[in-house]
Amino acid sequence: MSVLGYTIKRLLQMVLVLFAVSVIVFLMMSFTGDPVFMVIPIDSTAAEIEQARRLLGLDRSLLSQYFIFLGDMLQGDFGRSYVFRQPAMQLILERLPATIEMVLVAITLATAIAIPLGVYAGANPNRPVSRGIMAGSLLGISLPGFWVGMMLIFFFSVRYPLLPSSGRGDTVEVFGLRLSIFTADGFAHIILPALTLALATLAIMLRITRAGMMEVMRQDYMRFARAKGASRRSILFRHGLKNALIPVVTIFGLQLGDLIAFATITETIFAWPGTGKLLIDSIYRGDRPVIVVYLMLTAFIFVAINFLVDIVYTLIDPRISVK
Amino acid sequence: MADPLLEVRDLRTYFHTFGGVVKAVDGVSFDVRQGEVVGLVGESGGGKSVVGFSILGLIDPPGRIEAGEILFAGENLAAKSEEEMRSVRGGEIAMVFQDPMTSLNPVYTVGHQMDEMLRLHTDLDRKARRARCVEMLEQVGISEAESRLDAYPHQFSGGMRQRVVIAIALLAGSRLIIADEPTTALDVTVQAQILKLMRRQIVERGAAMIMVTHDLAVISEMADRVVVLYCGKVVERGRTAEIINAPSHPYTRGLLDSIPRIAERRDRLDQIPGTVPDIRTLGKGCSFRDRCFRAQPVCAEKTPVLSPVRGSLDAACHFPLEETAP
């Protein structure tokens, strides 16, 4: 199948998934209490409540409410936040760059450390250093992110005040996006939250890389590469790593989606004004439109990342074709 | 006679396992002269592959070369550092592996893997390297070589992959090729083609070859001289024709008798009784004695030493077979 045909097929799948998600999200939201109390003044009369309900369309059947919701969404109208009285999508998109830049720093950091260490530990499984790496990675998986975040703040902001622990710092506008990473102050602000986010991903990717390398090390082509006179570095990273990379890319994709969608705890700890913080605030305030859009966007991000991951598979292993 | 290209002197490669020390290669000596094919023969577990890997320094822990010299063109490979061995591997000495289905890297094109050999061991530029790869693929009998260079290993059949592996081994002009059971994994009809190809390509270049195999039929076709290994020791060596016609060691005799022949129909194949003993628990005496039809009490007392028997044959046996033996 051609790449174009494949892409079209995947796009159709993506639409289906998003449709299913919209149904689930809508149903779940309709069970979470009456939103009318979010919008009316606390001393409203019964008639005023009734009128607000009619204005919001909450008096109609669930099915017709869903179709209004779906129809509006298809026209690009995702509803307005009850709290901010602004379009919900705009609210999220304003905060998305903050989350994404933090996540990208975190995942780059995690990958840059996890892959070399994983290759080393997989190629020399019996060395003390490898055992140390593996023990460390177990720690990285087990320690909860909020605790790590608090410890980092305690050591690097309180005990030794080297790095800021709260907010984004100075931002600068790049291509219409407000980013912290390009200013010195912003960069200092991004380090601790990114480190907190990176830790678990680093540990998982390291372990996956190591497992893949241990499997690959046993293969004949690795010995053949040695018999050709290739350097150890080239044997490990060119011949070995590429063969061990498929599961690593899978985990990378899942973790990337996970970090973007659910950086909530880290953003809360470091008062990072990203989407995660917006989500948690919206849940507390019962701000239904924001939650719905957020979940739809999350589903979209996951589906899109998965699509890219599948494309990357075919670039890594010629035996995998787009089907 | 000219100095041998390769002299293996009293090579000992041991594996230190939890169950004890496995003396996979225990005092093996033989020579390989230029332009010659030497066969290393024996049953599975006889240590023949380990000899090949020892020569290239590809023995990994828990294995180790304990003693002995591997003199290649006068230099002792066993004493070289890993870095020095890198230029020997693929450059001076190349290797062909047993299973062509697994010895090529699945995620790189055939051309890339051939090119790597030339990048490592020559100064040719990209264009010259590509031309050389095309030429080499044609020489091992792969048609449309130019376009096949961009194909991946999984797009080749087993026989074609082994041709590619052989082409890679020959690319950098190595003087010695070590072939470890190069045709065992292939169909019989393809086997014959590949063997002919290897013999022609290697001998015509004036290179030498060590052919590791359990298959005496292959040896009789290919090798000039044979070294028979049993439990890590050389039990017999000599010119191929003499060994095939009238072996002097009972083990070699047993190996020859267990080859099925179509011409003479027999109800049962002759086989060597028993199995290879546990190499970790070998004591003194001849390791073959429990399976040998000529064994005497002395065989358990004294380990036989490799010594001339007749013609070109050396054997490690207290009671070597006569030429007229049944």
Side-chain angles (χ1 to χ4, degrees), chain B residues 56-130:
Chain B
L56 276 180
L58 293 179
I59 300 292
D60 289 322
R64 210 159 75 87
I65 297 178
E66 301 285 331
E69 289 183 326
I70 300 163
L71 296 171
F72 180 79
E75 288 185 69
N76 186 9
L77 301 185
K80 283 191 181 241
S81 70
E82 176 70 18
E83 201 50 36
E84 290 170 321
M85 278 310 287
R86 270 190 52 211
S87 62
V88 174
R89 293 181 197 136
E92 297 281 359
I93 306 177
M95 194 150 179
V96 175
F97 282 28
Q98 176 168 4
D99 189 352
M101 305 310 270
T102 56
S103 49
L104 292 172
N105 195 326
V107 299
Y108 291 105
T109 62
V110 162
H112 181 100
Q113 297 184 54
M114 295 182 78
D115 190 58
E116 183 183 23
M117 193 76 159
L118 290 174
R119 257 184 295 131
L120 285 165
H121 300 289
T122 68
D123 302 325
L124 300 174
D125 63 25
R126 175 187 282 272
K127 248 180 92 180
R129 291 200 305 263
R130 183 148 178 115

Side-chain angles (χ1 to χ4, degrees), chain A residues 220-238:
Chain A
D220 275 355
Y221 52 76
M222 295 295 277
R223 206 173 227 200
F224 190 56
R226 281 177 74 192
K228 280 161 119 181
S231 67
R232 181 149 179 87
R233 192 193 171 90
S234 152
I235 291 167
L236 293 183
F237 285 91
R238 281 170 193 263

Side-chain angles (χ1 to χ4, degrees), chain A residues 12-311:
Chain A
L12 287 176
Q13 277 178 8
M14 208 185 283
V15 170
L16 261 172
V17 168
L18 291 177
F19 174 74
V21 170
S22 77
V23 173
I24 294 168
V25 165
F26 181 81
L27 278 179
M28 267 172 23
M29 282 297 118
S30 64
F31 297 142
T32 55
D34 196 338
V36 80
F37 295 107
M38 295 301 309
V39 287
I40 51 162
I42 200 137
D43 53 353
S44 305
T45 62
E48 282 168 340
I49 293 175
E50 212 36 56
Q51 195 195 358
R53 202 167 257 147
R54 225 181 7 262
L55 271 172
L56 288 169
L58 292 169
D59 56 336
R60 305 190 198 200
S61 73
L62 211 55
L63 198 66
S64 75
Q65 280 189 43
Y66 175 73
F67 281 111
I68 294 168
F69 162 69
L70 190 66
D72 285 352
M73 241 183 358
L74 288 177
Q75 293 167 43
D77 178 1
F78 294 88
R80 279 168 178 274
S81 160
Y82 297 153
V83 179
F84 298 95
R85 315 273 165 185
Q86 278 180 33
M89 188 58 122
Q90 189 193 323
L91 265 178
I92 291 175
L93 288 182
E94 270 171 13
R95 285 164 177 76
L96 202 57
T99 296
I100 287 189
E101 76 172 341
M102 179 180 71
V103 167
L104 287 185
V105 171
I107 203 139
T108 307
L109 195 71
T111 311
I113 297 172
I115 287 190
L117 290 187
V119 168
Y120 180 87
N124 314 290
N126 294 321
R127 290 204 194 154
V129 177
S130 304
R131 292 181 201 278
I133 291 172
M134 293 317 287
S137 77
L138 209 56
L139 217 59
I141 288 179
S142 343
L143 294 180
F146 69 86
W147 186 82
V148 173
M150 287 180 336
M151 286 300 119
L152 286 177
I153 291 175
F154 176 69
F155 280 107
F156 297 106
S157 303
V158 180
R159 175 72 63 88
Y160 308 102
L162 300 169
L163 293 165
S165 64
S166 155
R168 288 184 81 180
D170 296 342
T171 58
V172 63
E173 189 141 336
V174 182
F175 299 120
L177 302 172
R178 297 221 65 88
L179 297 177
S180 303
I181 188 159
F182 297 111
T183 67
D185 182 51
F187 187 76
H189 277 81
I190 217 168
I191 293 175
L192 289 185
L195 215 58
T196 307
L197 268 190
L199 193 68
T201 303
L202 192 165
I204 294 170
M205 281 179 59
L206 191 161
R207 295 185 81 87
I208 299 283
T209 307
R210 168 183 178 263
M213 280 305 286
M214 284 180 75
E215 178 67 31
V216 165
M217 290 305 285
R218 286 200 292 271
Q219 303 296 318
D220 275 355
Y221 52 76
M222 295 295 277
R223 206 173 227 200
F224 190 56
R226 281 177 74 192
K228 280 161 119 181
S231 67
R232 181 149 179 87
R233 192 193 171 90
S234 152
I235 291 167
L236 293 183
F237 285 91
R238 281 170 193 263
H239 289 272
L241 181 59
K242 200 171 173 194
N243 278 285
L245 218 48
I246 292 284
V248 180
V249 170
T250 310
I251 294 294
F252 179 91
L254 290 175
Q255 286 291 319
L256 182 60
D258 202 52
L259 293 186
I260 294 174
F262 307 112
T264 320
I265 295 172
T266 307
E267 287 185 359
T268 308
I269 293 172
F270 291 95
W272 189 263
T275 50
K277 188 133 187 340
L278 176 69
L279 175 70
I280 209 87
D281 293 345
S282 302
I283 291 173
Y284 283 139
R285 296 174 190 140
D287 198 346
R288 239 156 85 163
V290 178
I291 300 172
V292 168
V293 176
Y294 188 85
L295 293 179
M296 293 297 296
L297 194 68
T298 300
F300 172 78
I301 288 172
F302 267 95
V303 175
I305 288 176
N306 258 308
F307 172 63
L308 291 177
V309 163
D310 283 356
I311 299 282

